[in-house]
Amino acid sequence: MTKLGIAIDLERCVGCHTCANACKMQNNVPTGMLWNRVLTEGCECIDGAVGTYPNLTRTFLPLACQHCENPACLRACPTGATYKDDMGRVEIDYDKCIGCRMCMAACPYNARSFNWEEPVRDVDFNYGDAAVPARAKGVAEKCTLCKERTDRGEEPMCVKCCPTQARIFGDLDDPNSEVSRVVVNRGAHVLLEEQGTRPQVYYFD
Amino acid sequence: MSGARNSTLTRRSFLKTTGAAAAGLACAGAVGAALSGEVLAPAQANAAGEEKTIYTLHQFMCQGNCSIKCTVRDGYLAKIEPSDAVAPKYQRCCMKGLSEIEHVYSPLRLQTPLKRVGERGEGKFERISWDEAMDIVGSELKKAWDAYGKESVYISASNEPRFGMLASILGAGTGVEPGIDRGIGNGVDPAIGGGGFASCTNETRDWVNANTIILSGINFLETSLMRSDDFFDAKRAGAEIIVVDPHFSTTASKASQWIPLKPGTDGALYLAMISHIIDNQWYDEEYMIAHTSMPFLVDAVSGQLLRSGKAPEVDPATGEAVEPADYLVWDTATNRAVIYDDPAAVPTLEGTYEVDGAKVATVFEQLKASQREYTTAWAAEKCDIDQEVIEKLAEKYATGGPAYLCFGYGGSDKFSNPDIQGHAMVILTALTGQIGKPGAALGHPGGGQGYGASLAAWPLPVDMVPAEIPVRADRFADTDAGVHVIISLGNTLQQYYANMNKTRTWLDSLDFILHVGMYDEDSVAFADVVLPVCSKFEDTVEHSIVRGGYNHIQLSQKCIDPLFEALPDYDVMYRIAQSVGLESVLPADAEELARFSIDNAEDPLVAGITFDALVKNNNTMPLAGIEEPRIGFADLQFPTPTGRMEIYYEPQHHSGQALPQWEENNEVFDGNPLMDKYPLQLAQTRTRFFVHSHFRGAAWLAQFYTGRIELNPQAMEERGLADGDIVEVFNDRGTFSCPVYGNNAIRPTSARIYEAAWSKDCTSGNPQNVTNDHVNERDADLITGAPIPFNDTLVEVRKAQGE
């Protein structure tokens, strides 16, 4: 089996948001929406800090769909629009999505977005990968692990563009893949482990 | 580990944080509407579009020097990714580059030539044709030439647009804008023969070889984002990275240690490190004797270096006398003063002697004396840091193996006297020999400072040279330089001048202002005629731009046709030359120029690289011999008259700065009575989101950051401010207003705003309304003159009235 995943080196993440825009571009994500965001942990604002000056810390937290092995969204989806595919990715069949947003309520990572209106873009054309399907008003969408790229054997655009190579992509089922080795050797952790969602996105320092 | 981390996270932690950004987008759109009559033709839904892949370069404003791979679909720039035509190390493109998908088509683009119809600064224009615009430009240039001569025209050039030859063709003045980025270099470069920028002597690929890297006032992980892997690779290899910054910058947050010092006191820190190294005899005597001016003898009364009296030779090329560099040292073998390069001499570093009746001492002896009051205890108080921190830093730098001493542009260099910091840093280097070898260097590392190559210049008639303007551009408002016409390339009128209200009065006195740029930025409003230029993705020829980028030669390639009525840089330059009948000296088009400048390059680094070879290699090729990181001065020969590090600045003896002496900042210093009225330092720092004022119009970056000033929550509370309040920021020079947000990362006695905000990013006014335009009294002594002390500015912040 194949179980695609990403491990993110939080030491190397400089909070630049390149992953956010790489994803936005590749996947034709409309205005007001990001599938991939970088949070500054513990802060309301981007580039804030935790503590009292000068005793401060700052941790950036890149966040998108965690492609969980046991996805809460999938269990909540009444139509089967959300599914786990044979590469271990959590995907959405937009034709089956009825816009009930149960998945959004279920996802503990707030990783999903919803098209409340007909999507608009800052430019008046569709950008990104031509193979990425357009989404209409009334469907949920989120990180697909760059399905169109990973289907072609390429790495996700966020991984390709990360300026510090903080992102490692690969097959978690292959014990010899770099991502598997990092998960084991660098003490990687997942977000909200107690939720039992078993994310395929790992974080390490 | 995972348990501990997860305990701080809840689902609430992952709430969407795009609220502020959405407001910013709406705002940018509305403002842009004033100038954008044209709406882009809607594209067809993507499906079966015709696609092509183009390899090109990203623009000049940034030091990232990225090679990029673009997908053009149905004539639209649809996708950008790092070029795969370069080695993996150089396959980079950040969120700014990716944002070009939107930025190129921004509603804030200047779309047509414009003619002013309102008052200067009011921003009222009418659209005119290129022919009408060029008629006005030609006649205004000729009018100025007839009335005052060609030197009455000044071309103020930012990095873009790029008109390399225009000043020569027009015989105009240009380039007297050294008030920026050269503040610390003024103190470093006289010792090592540089011109003022003090670029780092090694490149950052060499950071892995360092044990210690000191980064002073440089937010490297934001401003040199494309080289940030060098930072982490060095850290992983065991380097200790120490960041000296008043604010908890991104770089500080990733460093091994952060030294949060008072703004503008970096010089005190480095002076104290000199003292501590001397007191503990951690200096490298052998290096000092062989490669520095430390053993040179100096007359204790006159401050003059002793010389043998050799007659200066005359340079046959310039006809000017060459510095004879005939300095004397004390020879302990013969107990007399001899010339420093006497091979038989055994020079000493220390002692006072008598030579021809005069009391003399070595430079090192003078240094020891001049350092006496700069103890680590003194600096601890000045900088508001622990004495132990300074002492440990000095010990680590001097005794901990190879070390870097790096500094930035955009922090402590923008005070009234950063040359003192630079002078102290170059003396630290001279004391320790931390230069010219792997892991040891000094300077500004921005962009990585790799190998740079020179390309050939197009031959213009010999009488076509720029005019010499005896006054710096930032002083035009105070000193009549005979300039009556300004050609502004990019947003120079806002970026290059502090105290904008004074700038406005001066601009009002000019006969004609031509602005050439891409976006509706602040300089536009002052112009009489505005010419729209293309982004580097649009072109009228296939290849127009060639540059020596980071360790590479890069060539541009056209992705899309010019948008709106904009024209590429070269075409605009050609039209300006044509407006006064001088276009015949130029090549027919930009591609001819690009081909010429590559194929005639004589730089050995460009060996084997031709225009045709570049095209074949997807428009980028590595320079010859870049396998190993650049190590500057590896032969320890410096381009100074003696070939040594000449750390004694004899011409500055009269002001007491032959060796660095502490001098308070102009505004930001304890005890300044002005602080009672204006207690906050205004820090304009650099950020990953913009390159100066470029990218301010990018909606894809406004997702993450919109115009604001940031205060420490403590300073917010003292002023009764809440996040999102509109505040006035003011002092005696002026005022501007914008939203305020609290951020723990800000020093409680500072207010931080990112440098070069457009007025559009503010609720009213512009941050330059309040910035300090003081000129240090030692201006004439400094190799590039005194820096503009943008950050040496005190302000107060209060809730805006009516809010």
Side-chain angles (χ1 to χ4, degrees), chain B residues 18 35 97 130 322 529 568 628 632 650 680 769:
Chain B
T18 50
L35 275 182
W130 272 98
V322 179
V529 169
E628 292 301 317
E650 189 181 60
L680 295 171
N769 289 355

Side-chain angles (χ1 to χ4, degrees), chain B residues 669-716:
Chain B
F669 63 93
D670 287 348
N672 183 357
L674 196 64
M675 271 197 182
D676 297 341
K677 237 164 117 185
Y678 305 121
L680 295 171
Q681 181 239 353
L682 179 69
Q684 287 201 62
T685 66
R686 292 186 178 173
T687 162
R688 61 170 93 81
F689 294 123
F690 312 112
V691 183
H692 307 303
S693 72
H694 207 61
F695 295 107
R696 289 273 173 185
W700 278 27
L701 297 174
Q703 295 176 111
F704 314 119
Y705 175 86
T706 53
R708 64 187 56 193
I709 194 157
E710 291 175 286
L711 295 181
N712 187 281
Q714 186 191 319
M716 296 278 284

Side-chain angles (χ1 to χ4, degrees), chain B residues 120-443:
Chain B
R120 272 210 185 120
E122 203 181 353
K124 283 194 182 153
F125 293 94
E126 67 180 20
R127 160 194 295 224
I128 54 174
S129 69
W130 272 98
D131 288 346
E132 281 175 273
M134 298 327 297
D135 282 349
I136 300 172
V137 171
S139 80
E140 289 289 341
L141 286 173
K142 283 180 192 149
K143 213 158 76 184
W145 289 356
D146 291 345
Y148 324 102
K150 288 189 167 179
E151 63 280 9
S152 65
V153 178
Y154 184 75
I155 301 177
S156 189
S158 65
N159 277 338
E160 297 197 39
R162 259 176 129 72
F163 293 164
M165 290 181 281
L166 189 62
S168 299
I169 292 169
L170 298 181
T174 196
V176 284
E177 282 141 357
I180 299 171
D181 294 345
R182 278 154 272 197
I184 298 172
N186 273 338
V188 169
D189 275 350
I192 57 173
F197 281 112
S199 301
C200 197
T201 56
N202 294 0
E203 75 168 288
T204 54
R205 279 192 297 161
D206 171 56
W207 277 5
V208 289
N209 297 315
N211 288 2
T212 308
I213 300 168
I214 301 171
L215 300 175
S216 194
I218 178 168
N219 192 1
F220 187 86
L221 294 180
E222 294 203 26
T223 58
S224 299
L225 181 53
M226 298 293 90
R227 306 280 96 79
S228 48
D229 53 339
D230 293 332
F231 178 102
F232 292 108
D233 291 349
K235 209 175 158 194
R236 197 152 174 78
E240 199 157 335
I241 303 184
I242 299 148
V243 168
V244 179
D245 197 310
H247 311 291
F248 191 59
S249 67
T250 296
T251 313
S253 77
K254 295 289 178 181
S256 321
Q257 185 190 357
W258 171 41
I259 300 181
L261 84 180
K262 270 188 201 164
T265 64
D266 304 53
L269 169 66
Y270 297 110
L271 283 170
M273 282 172 64
I274 294 174
S275 299
H276 198 64
I277 288 169
I278 292 175
D279 290 349
N280 288 283
Q281 300 188 340
W282 287 331
Y283 45 82
D284 181 343
E285 285 189 38
E286 207 176 306
Y287 181 84
M288 286 155 71
I289 288 176
H291 301 293
T292 77
S293 61
M294 294 279 191
F296 293 4
L297 295 172
V298 58
D299 183 307
V301 178
S302 71
Q304 300 287 300
L305 290 165
L306 264 63
R307 295 167 176 267
S308 73
K310 202 163 89 182
E313 286 169 25
V314 173
D315 183 335
T318 63
E320 283 175 21
V322 179
E323 162 63 58
D326 55 340
Y327 303 112
L328 301 183
V329 294
W330 190 261
D331 178 19
T332 54
T334 59
N335 272 327
R336 63 189 178 95
V338 300
I339 196 152
Y340 75 94
D341 56 356
D342 181 341
V346 184
T348 179
L349 272 179
E350 293 176 83
T352 54
Y353 305 94
E354 211 177 286
V355 176
D356 299 334
K359 201 179 159 212
V360 303
T362 62
V363 165
F364 183 56
E365 200 66 45
Q366 289 283 88
L367 176 68
K368 286 198 283 186
S370 80
Q371 281 293 131
R372 233 162 254 144
E373 66 182 278
Y374 305 132
T375 61
T376 52
W378 166 83
E381 198 184 326
K382 279 282 170 215
C383 305
D384 189 23
I385 52 182
D386 286 346
Q387 187 177 345
E388 202 192 14
V389 166
I390 304 174
E391 292 175 356
K392 281 202 168 143
L393 187 65
E395 184 172 3
K396 203 179 301 281
Y397 178 71
T399 70
Y404 269 74
L405 203 45
C406 295
F407 49 84
Y409 305 156
S412 57
D413 62 311
K414 286 173 176 55
F415 282 76
S416 62
N417 52 23
D419 60 295
I420 296 166
Q421 175 190 343
H423 199 175
M425 288 175 122
V426 81
I427 287 175
L428 283 168
T429 309
L431 285 168
T432 55
Q434 293 279 23
I435 194 165
K437 54 190 178 187
L442 167 72

